[in-house]
Amino acid sequence: MIAIVGSGITGLTAAWALKKFKDVTLYEKHQEIGMAAFGAKQMVDGKEVEFDIPFRTIKRDYYPTLFQIYDKAGIRTRAVDYSFRVESNEEAIFGFRSHQLFGIPFGVPTMDSLVSSKGRRIFSDLLKFYTNAKDDWKRENPSISILDFLIKYGYSKEFIYEFLLPTFALVNTCKTETVGAYPAETIIGYHSRGYSYTPQETASFGTRDIVNRLTNGLNNLQLNAGIQRIYKKADKTIIRFANEEKEFEHVILSTQANQAKDLLGEGFDLEKEILNEFRYESSDVVLHSDESYFSNPSVSLVFKIRNNYDKPEVTLDLGRIIPELQGKKIFQTWNPHKLPKETDTLKLAKFERPVMDDRTAKAIGRIATLHSNPQCNLWLCGSYSLYGIPLLEAGAKSGLLVAARLANQQIDDLIDL
């Protein structure tokens, strides 16, 4: 028997792949499957609409593993208008707009990017980054931070502090300063993929459809699981619940690293030591109807960078990208610099995301060494456990890697079966 602890994208992927080969039980501490646990259902014009929190978008060139899984599981996606505008201390300095011509998607800078001197410098440096960053990085110490890299190669302050670092503070859900310490390789590998344009996509029927399809055919799913401890007794791995203990051949621990560490008990000192190397930062996400957060109806996403705030405030106009809303003014704001009025607030959620730095890169290597041991029966996986970004891709891929190992299959074969 195999226990999978945690039902975010990692646990869902591992369960979906392994159920064809093994007796699997998926455990979740919430009363909802983890990936959908923070959603909100609201009545809109007499109809119930379920909102994903956070709203998730993916791109085919950045999330290849995730799209393979979605395609095989029958999860349909659709393109969304992810046009954005960057405002620095209330001044519009850069933007990008999505278009389609004869069904072919493409994107162009907004007039803000060409009219303002800051916008022109950002756009010029963005082209430079696309063209040169990969080759420049190859000549560097592999551990150089993205901030040191950008300064060394002469990128403008506007590009560094008012575009690249703030936008990745959203992608990684962390402070702008924290992004500066990320290894340059992770940002360059994500962002400098040439000039080709692929649209942002989202699950056509939301996260609810994702979790339903990935758990279809899974016989054992335990919500409100109440796991108290995971420990080793002799060579056996035991999960202690409130009223019983169960022995498992393998346990896949697919929670966040900090949560995983707190679950581990006797016999897993090395694993706890490694998990302790991963740091997390938290962010608020609020679903609301306060139109003061969004003053530009021509784009879908607005970044607001303000002095004395360590993260950008980013607001998404859901009415532009969710067809059921038919343009109704409902928004989702990450890192709100102020909270909406209570009467406009629909739901407030807090999320933690792993921070990537040289310390965590070494810990990821130690996880790979643990997993290479033929006697391994506790598997640490999640978005934190693979090098690089984006997080959903890393989470799905880490779940597949462990599933392929336990099923004795190649990843591509595992997906195609």
Side-chain angles (χ1 to χ4, degrees), residues 222-234:
Q222 298 292 323
L223 303 175
N224 296 312
I227 294 175
Q228 297 185 344
R229 214 69 172 161
I230 302 171
Y231 69 96
K232 185 174 287 188
K233 187 175 182 181

Side-chain angles (χ1 to χ4, degrees), residues 92-269:
I93 59 172
F94 190 75
F96 207 76
R97 186 164 285 118
S98 305
H99 297 280
Q100 279 202 7
L101 183 63
F102 303 118
I104 300 173
F106 66 97
V108 294
T110 62
M111 287 302 296
D112 298 330
S113 313
L114 306 175
V115 171
S116 76
S117 58
K118 283 186 175 182
R120 290 193 296 272
R121 281 192 287 273
I122 290 171
F123 187 44
S124 173
D125 279 351
L126 184 58
L127 295 177
K128 171 183 170 182
F129 191 75
Y130 279 140
T131 304
N132 299 334
K134 282 187 177 179
D135 290 336
D136 289 340
W137 179 82
K138 290 176 183 176
R139 296 189 290 268
E140 289 298 327
N141 181 329
S143 64
I144 188 172
S145 72
I146 187 62
L147 180 57
D148 289 343
F149 175 89
L150 294 171
I151 292 172
K152 179 174 181 178
Y153 286 91
Y155 289 88
S156 66
K157 290 182 179 179
E158 292 83 359
F159 178 74
I160 296 172
Y161 297 107
E162 296 179 271
F163 179 73
L164 192 71
L165 299 190
T167 56
F168 269 86
L170 172 65
V171 171
N172 300 315
T173 323
C174 63
K175 298 175 183 176
T176 303
E177 180 183 9
T178 301
V179 177
Y182 268 54
E185 179 186 9
T186 61
I187 306 294
I188 292 169
Y190 180 92
H191 205 58
S192 59
R193 302 194 178 199
Y195 299 101
S196 62
Y197 176 81
T198 55
Q200 295 279 356
E201 298 182 50
T202 191
S204 297
F205 304 105
T207 298
R208 183 67 51 189
D209 184 56
I210 296 173
V211 300
N212 286 345
R213 290 182 181 274
L214 292 182
T215 56
N216 183 37
L218 180 65
N219 294 324
N220 299 309
L221 170 62
Q222 298 292 323
L223 303 175
N224 296 312
I227 294 175
Q228 297 185 344
R229 214 69 172 161
I230 302 171
Y231 69 96
K232 185 174 287 188
K233 187 175 182 181
D235 60 347
K236 300 176 181 178
T237 300
I238 310 294
I239 296 182
R240 180 189 302 149
F241 301 89
N243 300 314
E244 63 177 337
E245 293 187 344
K246 290 185 178 181
E247 177 187 339
F248 291 91
E249 181 183 0
H250 294 278
V251 173
I252 300 174
L253 197 46
S254 58
T255 67
Q256 294 178 181
N258 51 357
Q259 297 172 4
K261 179 190 67 174
D262 292 340
L263 285 175
L264 293 180
E266 183 180 350
F268 292 116
D269 291 342

Side-chain angles (χ1 to χ4, degrees), residues 224-391:
N224 296 312
I227 294 175
Q228 297 185 344
R229 214 69 172 161
I230 302 171
Y231 69 96
K232 185 174 287 188
K233 187 175 182 181
D235 60 347
K236 300 176 181 178
T237 300
I238 310 294
I239 296 182
R240 180 189 302 149
F241 301 89
N243 300 314
E244 63 177 337
E245 293 187 344
K246 290 185 178 181
E247 177 187 339
F248 291 91
E249 181 183 0
H250 294 278
V251 173
I252 300 174
L253 197 46
S254 58
T255 67
Q256 294 178 181
N258 51 357
Q259 297 172 4
K261 179 190 67 174
D262 292 340
L263 285 175
L264 293 180
E266 183 180 350
F268 292 116
D269 291 342
L270 177 59
E271 287 82 356
K272 288 190 287 185
E273 176 188 316
I274 294 172
L275 291 170
N276 195 51
E277 295 297 303
F278 294 93
R279 297 184 297 114
Y280 282 76
E281 289 186 2
S282 64
S283 289
D284 293 330
V285 181
V286 60
L287 183 73
H288 64 93
S289 57
D290 187 342
E291 295 186 44
S292 69
Y293 283 73
F294 206 99
S295 57
N296 190 328
S298 66
V299 296
S300 299
L301 196 71
V302 173
F303 289 79
K304 292 189 177 182
I305 302 161
R306 297 185 176 103
N307 294 339
N308 303 319
Y309 288 93
D310 57 11
K311 300 172 186 174
E313 177 186 273
V314 185
T315 299
L316 178 63
D317 183 352
L318 297 175
R320 284 178 61 93
I321 59 178
I322 298 179
E324 296 91 328
L325 295 181
Q326 298 180 337
K328 189 174 180 65
K329 296 302 181 183
I330 296 180
F331 308 96
Q332 194 169 121
T333 297
W334 290 266
N335 313 318
H337 292 168
K338 62 178 179 65
L339 288 176
K341 293 181 295 185
E342 187 174 343
T343 53
D344 292 330
T345 300
L346 303 177
K347 186 167 184 178
L348 177 66
K350 188 178 290 290
F351 293 89
E352 290 184 318
R353 293 292 185 266
V355 171
M356 174 64 67
D357 55 20
D358 189 52
R359 169 180 163 184
T360 54
K362 292 175 182 176
I364 288 169
R366 296 179 71 187
I367 289 176
T369 300
L370 277 179
H371 288 185
S372 67
N373 184 342
Q375 304 304 315
C376 180
N377 57 11
L378 179 75
W379 305 85
L380 308 177
C381 60
S383 59
Y384 70 88
S385 67
L386 291 182
Y387 191 66
I389 47 181
L391 300 180

